[in-house]
mmCIF file of all heavy atoms in Angstrom:
data_model
loop_
_atom_site.group_PDB
_atom_site.id
_atom_site.type_symbol
_atom_site.label_atom_id
_atom_site.label_comp_id
_atom_site.label_asym_id
_atom_site.label_seq_id
_atom_site.Cartn_x
_atom_site.Cartn_y
_atom_site.Cartn_z
ATOM 1 N N LEU A 51 -280.711 20.764 -12.726
ATOM 2 C CA LEU A 51 -279.280 20.891 -13.145
ATOM 3 C C LEU A 51 -278.540 21.183 -11.772
ATOM 4 O O LEU A 51 -279.048 21.744 -10.853
ATOM 5 C CB LEU A 51 -279.023 21.938 -14.220
ATOM 6 C CG LEU A 51 -279.863 21.773 -15.404
ATOM 7 C CD1 LEU A 51 -279.696 22.915 -16.268
ATOM 8 C CD2 LEU A 51 -279.509 20.372 -16.127
ATOM 9 N N THR A 52 -277.278 20.704 -11.789
ATOM 10 C CA THR A 52 -276.350 20.829 -10.432
ATOM 11 C C THR A 52 -275.528 21.994 -10.592
ATOM 12 O O THR A 52 -274.588 22.032 -11.513
ATOM 13 C CB THR A 52 -275.670 19.546 -10.249
ATOM 14 O OG1 THR A 52 -276.566 18.413 -10.067
ATOM 15 C CG2 THR A 52 -274.770 19.629 -8.932
ATOM 16 N N GLN A 53 -275.647 22.908 -9.659
ATOM 17 C CA GLN A 53 -274.786 24.127 -9.637
ATOM 18 C C GLN A 53 -274.101 24.121 -8.170
ATOM 19 O O GLN A 53 -274.881 23.550 -7.184
ATOM 20 C CB GLN A 53 -275.559 25.407 -9.775
ATOM 21 C CG GLN A 53 -276.188 25.518 -11.170
ATOM 22 C CD GLN A 53 -276.983 26.865 -11.117
ATOM 23 O OE1 GLN A 53 -278.071 27.052 -11.468
ATOM 24 N NE2 GLN A 53 -276.216 27.946 -10.885
ATOM 25 N N PRO A 54 -273.021 24.710 -7.992
ATOM 26 C CA PRO A 54 -272.522 24.905 -6.639
ATOM 27 C C PRO A 54 -273.334 25.995 -6.010
ATOM 28 O O PRO A 54 -273.958 26.953 -6.635
ATOM 29 C CB PRO A 54 -271.149 25.608 -6.864
ATOM 30 C CG PRO A 54 -271.127 26.124 -8.170
ATOM 31 C CD PRO A 54 -272.122 25.275 -9.016
ATOM 32 N N ALA A 55 -273.557 25.781 -4.564
ATOM 33 C CA ALA A 55 -274.472 26.655 -3.799
ATOM 34 C C ALA A 55 -273.914 28.083 -3.826
ATOM 35 O O ALA A 55 -274.714 28.935 -3.796
ATOM 36 C CB ALA A 55 -274.631 26.019 -2.434
ATOM 37 N N SER A 56 -272.648 28.146 -3.689
ATOM 38 C CA SER A 56 -272.060 29.488 -3.596
ATOM 39 C C SER A 56 -270.660 29.486 -4.167
ATOM 40 O O SER A 56 -269.965 28.550 -4.309
ATOM 41 C CB SER A 56 -272.010 29.928 -2.177
ATOM 42 O OG SER A 56 -271.078 29.024 -1.449
ATOM 43 N N VAL A 57 -270.331 30.738 -4.732
ATOM 44 C CA VAL A 57 -268.974 31.084 -5.191
ATOM 45 C C VAL A 57 -268.713 32.405 -4.699
ATOM 46 O O VAL A 57 -269.577 33.309 -4.420
ATOM 47 C CB VAL A 57 -268.801 30.947 -6.709
ATOM 48 C CG1 VAL A 57 -269.038 29.395 -7.229
ATOM 49 C CG2 VAL A 57 -269.621 31.937 -7.323
ATOM 50 N N SER A 58 -267.467 32.778 -4.652
ATOM 51 C CA SER A 58 -267.027 34.124 -4.207
ATOM 52 C C SER A 58 -265.677 34.553 -4.842
ATOM 53 O O SER A 58 -264.935 33.612 -5.381
ATOM 54 C CB SER A 58 -266.849 34.220 -2.741
ATOM 55 O OG SER A 58 -265.773 33.333 -2.294
ATOM 56 N N GLY A 59 -265.522 35.880 -5.028
ATOM 57 C CA GLY A 59 -264.294 36.448 -5.605
ATOM 58 C C GLY A 59 -264.071 37.841 -5.190
ATOM 59 O O GLY A 59 -265.171 38.468 -4.790
ATOM 60 N N SER A 60 -263.040 38.323 -5.489
ATOM 61 C CA SER A 60 -262.693 39.713 -5.139
ATOM 62 C C SER A 60 -262.914 40.677 -6.271
ATOM 63 O O SER A 60 -262.789 40.079 -7.435
ATOM 64 C CB SER A 60 -261.243 39.819 -4.560
ATOM 65 O OG SER A 60 -261.034 39.135 -3.535
ATOM 66 N N PRO A 61 -263.159 41.867 -6.079
ATOM 67 C CA PRO A 61 -263.430 42.829 -7.215
ATOM 68 C C PRO A 61 -262.034 42.672 -8.189
ATOM 69 O O PRO A 61 -260.922 42.641 -7.806
ATOM 70 C CB PRO A 61 -263.390 44.177 -6.547
ATOM 71 C CG PRO A 61 -263.993 43.848 -5.324
ATOM 72 C CD PRO A 61 -263.523 42.615 -4.895
ATOM 73 N N GLY A 62 -262.422 42.580 -9.470
ATOM 74 C CA GLY A 62 -261.426 42.520 -10.537
ATOM 75 C C GLY A 62 -260.925 41.089 -10.966
ATOM 76 O O GLY A 62 -260.448 40.869 -11.983
ATOM 77 N N GLN A 63 -261.369 40.106 -10.070
ATOM 78 C CA GLN A 63 -260.950 38.758 -10.309
ATOM 79 C C GLN A 63 -262.014 38.200 -11.358
ATOM 80 O O GLN A 63 -263.065 38.763 -11.700
ATOM 81 C CB GLN A 63 -260.906 37.968 -8.942
ATOM 82 C CG GLN A 63 -259.813 38.196 -8.162
ATOM 83 C CD GLN A 63 -259.796 37.230 -6.998
ATOM 84 O OE1 GLN A 63 -260.780 36.735 -6.447
ATOM 85 N NE2 GLN A 63 -258.522 36.960 -6.398
ATOM 86 N N SER A 64 -261.791 36.972 -11.738
ATOM 87 C CA SER A 64 -262.758 36.202 -12.529
ATOM 88 C C SER A 64 -263.206 34.959 -11.828
ATOM 89 O O SER A 64 -262.371 34.372 -10.939
ATOM 90 C CB SER A 64 -262.026 35.654 -13.858
ATOM 91 O OG SER A 64 -261.698 36.806 -14.673
#
Side-chain angles (χ1 to χ4, degrees):
Chain A
L51 305 173
T52 301
Q53 298 180 233
S56 63
V57 298
S58 63
S60 299
Q63 288 186 331
S64 294

